[in-house]
């Protein structure tokens, strides 16, 4: 047995079920992505409401910033679905064979860190899009001709979450659970 006796903290860490690591990674991908989306929507939405008091025309045009923030949450959900499809439950006792356990542990930790990477990149993306969207609303209220220029900067900020998603999908090739 791989985890028959636990003598130190390192052994306890090593003996956590590999599927727990995988599902924790899925949870991190969704949770952090939603936090990034909420943060960005909060920043952008507050500026839209504030600027709309004086200049009502900015509300409809600047809702595209909210859509960009919502895409951040969708990136996390997409990644979580793809990660969940990679999990293959081992039918026997996973602790009985050391090689099977090591393979499952590697795959579980891989999914954990992929979820962390995707989640953190989406938090950064949500804050970036939120700050840029907030600025876009305020600049658009003052000078309408600058909207497209600010929107291009916002699109570049939105690409951060997409890059995290792409890197996560690339790393998923190594996450192979034993069957």
């Amino acid at each position: 047995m791989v985890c028959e006796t636990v003598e130190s903290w390192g052994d306890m860490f090593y003996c956590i079920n590999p599927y727990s690591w995988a599902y924790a990674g899925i949870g991190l991908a969704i949770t952090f992505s939603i936090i990034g989306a909420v943060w960005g929507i909060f920043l952008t939405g507050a500026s839209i409401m504030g600027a709309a008091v004086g200049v009502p025309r900015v509300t409809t045009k600047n809702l595209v910033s909210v859509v960009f923030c919502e895409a951040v949450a969708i990136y996390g959900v997409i990644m979580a679905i793809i990660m969940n499809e990679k999990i293959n439950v081992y039918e026997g006792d996973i602790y009985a064979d050391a090689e099977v356990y090591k393979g499952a542990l590697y795959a579980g930790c891989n999914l954990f860190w992929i979820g962390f990477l995707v989640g953190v990149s989406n938090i950064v993306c949500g804050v970036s899009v939120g700050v840029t969207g907030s600025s876009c609303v305020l600049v658009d209220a003052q000078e309408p001709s600058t909207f497209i220029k600010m929107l291009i900067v916002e699109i570049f900020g939105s690409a951060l979450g997409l890059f995290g998603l792409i890197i996560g999908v690339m790393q998923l090739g190594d996450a192979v659970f034993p069957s």
Side-chain angles (χ1 to χ4, degrees):
M1 296 276 297
V2 175
C3 290
E4 210 168 77
T5 60
V6 177
E7 297 176 2
S8 68
W9 286 98
D11 289 342
M12 245 180 355
F13 176 78
Y14 183 71
C15 292
I16 295 174
N17 192 327
Y19 296 102
S20 297
W21 290 114
Y23 287 116
I26 291 171
L28 286 174
I30 290 177
T31 304
F32 285 175
S33 297
I34 290 172
I35 288 171
V38 167
W39 202 341
I41 290 170
F42 171 72
L43 293 170
T44 301
S47 294
I48 289 173
M49 293 298 105
V53 171
V55 187
R57 68 167 174 76
V58 299
T59 54
T60 53
K61 189 174 13 172
N62 285 288
L63 284 178
V64 71
S65 300
V66 175
V67 172
F68 283 149
C69 291
E70 192 61 35
V72 172
I74 293 170
Y75 294 156
V77 170
I78 290 170
M79 195 65 206
I81 291 169
I82 295 171
M83 289 168 66
N84 193 36
E85 292 299 316
K86 292 292 286 186
I87 295 175
N88 187 15
V89 179
Y90 186 70
E91 294 299 325
D93 183 13
I94 198 163
Y95 297 105
D97 185 7
E99 290 302 315
V100 170
Y101 179 75
K102 286 180 183 178
L105 184 62
Y106 179 80
C109 289
N110 193 351
L111 288 182
F112 176 81
W113 289 111
I114 289 171
F116 182 78
L117 166 90
V118 170
V120 168
S121 71
N122 283 329
I123 285 178
V124 171
C125 176
V127 171
S128 172
V129 171
V131 168
T132 309
S134 173
S135 303
C136 185
V137 172
L138 299 175
V139 168
D140 183 36
Q142 294 294 318
E143 182 61 45
S145 66
T146 60
F147 176 74
I148 298 297
K149 295 171 188 163
M150 288 295 292
L151 192 62
I152 291 171
V153 174
E154 193 171 357
I155 290 169
F156 288 137
S158 180
L160 295 173
L162 191 57
F163 291 152
L165 179 74
I166 292 169
I167 290 170
V169 168
M170 288 171 48
Q171 289 179 336
L172 274 175
D174 291 339
V176 179
F177 283 90
S179 54

